[in-house]
Amino acid sequence: MHLMERGDLADLQIFMIVVRCNSFKLAAIELGLSTSAISHAIRRLETRLSARLLNRTSRAVATTAMGQELADKLGGGFEIINAAVASLNAPGSGKFGELRLNVFADAAHQLIAPALAEFHRLCPEVKFTLVVDDRPVDIIAEGFDAGVRYGHLVPEDMIAVPLTGSQRWVAAASPHYLERQGVPKHPNDLKQHHCLQLLLGSNAPFKWEFGSDESATHMSVPGLITIKDTQTTIEAAKAGIGIAYLLESRIHQEVLSGDLVVLLEEHASPGEPFHMYYSDRRHGHPALRELINIIRLQNGLSALPRLNEG
């Protein structure tokens, strides 16, 4: 191959975004270009390399063997470029570009929303995209820089950074419901109550857990109403419809205001901390690191050291 020309770097970057998005259309939307411009860039690159890099059909885009080899090698190179820019420490340097997160609803409410104002102040140039999705997601395959999950749900091949301390899962109900139906003294008493059923992100039914370690028990509780949304569950509990099973941190304000009462506290179940997780290629993403530190500080944890501090 001849020496690279100025336009080749831009075409290589477009190629990498097409690979990440698995789509010419999504890559065009991300870059603010037409699909035709994306297609022309890929053709220029393939002509220059005398090799087919992508197989395209009307429904999908997939790398050829040579295309995948090129993408694997380029990934590290672009990370080195980004890290070099981030190390300049000029005002706003290292904070440009895009940050795409996939988080489940409770994390969006508890962690991301409170951090947004400070994040925008520190990283005003960053194009930030937040997708709230409770289903299990492969963040790499779907083009995200990072995600948030409970620690035990983070894939083993990912880097995981805790954003909070341990959580507690509790049962809670409104004073009005308790006056009408009585206060359960033991988890077994829930069999005589109306409970708000939960669904996991995978749409599987969720069994309520009480206690910890060897004494932990999982229960199927009675109830005719099933809700796959925490905020709606909270509103239903406040309305006196039934007992809800929730993260204690998620209903902090409702408990303070007296709208909800925590039940069976001695049987509360410990939960994993929220974790931000990402691949090792995103380790040096300066905006992501900034967001992680904002959230950690807001939740009583120390900030991560700067990359050049080890």
Side-chain angles (χ1 to χ4, degrees):
M1 178 183 171
H2 299 294
L3 291 175
M4 298 294 290
E5 297 178 354
R6 180 181 299 177
D8 293 330
L9 182 59
D11 289 347
L12 287 169
Q13 189 169 24
I14 289 172
F15 166 72
M16 289 296 288
I17 293 173
V18 171
V19 170
R20 172 162 61 79
C21 294
N22 289 319
S23 165
F24 277 45
K25 182 178 180 181
L26 292 178
I29 293 172
E30 181 171 324
L31 291 168
L33 299 172
S34 67
T35 305
S36 176
I38 298 293
S39 181
H40 284 310
I42 298 301
R43 279 201 296 270
R44 278 197 306 269
L45 189 59
E46 289 180 327
T47 298
R48 184 153 180 76
L49 295 174
S50 300
R52 189 171 185 82
L53 303 175
L54 298 171
N55 288 321
R56 312 114 150 122
T57 69
S58 59
R59 294 185 177 182
V61 174
T63 55
T64 63
M66 185 169 290
Q68 188 58 54
E69 181 181 358
L70 178 63
D72 290 341
K73 291 179 179 179
L74 286 176
F78 278 114
E79 290 300 322
I80 292 172
I81 293 171
N82 290 335
V85 173
S87 68
L88 294 177
N89 291 323
S93 68
K95 310 256 178 90
F96 295 94
E98 182 175 12
L99 179 61
R100 302 184 76 246
L101 296 186
N102 183 286
V103 308
F104 60 100
D106 282 353
H109 176 88
Q110 291 182 237
L111 305 179
I112 307 300
L116 275 181
E118 180 66 5
F119 177 76
H120 182 63
R121 185 184 71 81
L122 294 175
C123 304
E125 308 91 350
V126 171
K127 180 181 179 183
F128 179 70
T129 301
L130 174 68
V131 174
V132 180
D133 194 342
D134 285 332
R135 68 187 174 91
V137 168
D138 182 337
I139 59 170
I140 301 302
E142 299 200 23
F144 293 101
D145 296 297
V148 176
R149 290 186 186 178
Y150 296 111
H152 66 290
L153 297 177
V154 174
E156 293 183 358
D157 59 345
M158 293 284 170
I159 297 171
V161 179
L163 300 175
T164 69
S166 297
Q167 304 289 310
R168 283 209 321 170
W169 287 90
V170 299
S174 72
H176 176 64
Y177 174 88
L178 298 174
E179 289 172 7
R180 190 175 73 249
Q181 300 292 336
V183 180
K185 303 298 183 183
H186 187 274
N188 288 334
D189 296 341
L190 293 173
K191 296 175 183 178
Q192 310 304 319
H193 283 266
H194 304 291
C195 299
L196 301 171
Q197 304 286 343
L198 300 175
L199 287 179
L200 299 171
S202 61
N203 289 324
F206 184 81
K207 290 187 176 182
W208 295 16
E209 181 177 333
F210 294 96
S212 59
D213 302 326
E214 297 82 10
S215 64
T217 58
H218 294 79
M219 296 179 58
S220 295
V221 293
L224 299 177
I225 295 178
T226 300
I227 303 171
K228 188 184 175 182
D229 174 67
T230 299
Q231 187 58 45
T232 305
T233 301
I234 292 172
E235 295 303 322
K238 286 168 60 179
I241 295 174
I243 298 175
Y245 187 74
L246 301 155
L247 278 176
E248 187 175 33
S249 58
R250 184 66 172 80
I251 55 171
H252 178 69
Q253 291 301 323
E254 287 79 8
V255 172
L256 284 180
S257 67
D259 290 330
L260 291 178
V261 177
V262 173
L263 308 171
L264 306 169
E265 284 203 64
E266 65 274 23
H267 299 283
S269 177
E272 288 276 338
F274 293 100
H275 283 68
M276 186 80 76
Y277 68 102
Y278 46 89
S279 72
D280 56 359
R281 287 187 175 183
R282 291 292 178 265
H283 179 65
H285 195 306
L288 176 59
R289 200 172 186 84
E290 202 77 73
L291 179 61
I292 289 172
N293 280 338
I294 292 169
I295 296 172
R296 282 174 60 89
L297 291 170
Q298 289 182 348
N299 285 273
L301 302 182
S302 60
L304 299 177
R306 295 186 180 277
L307 289 176
N308 57 8
E309 293 175 355

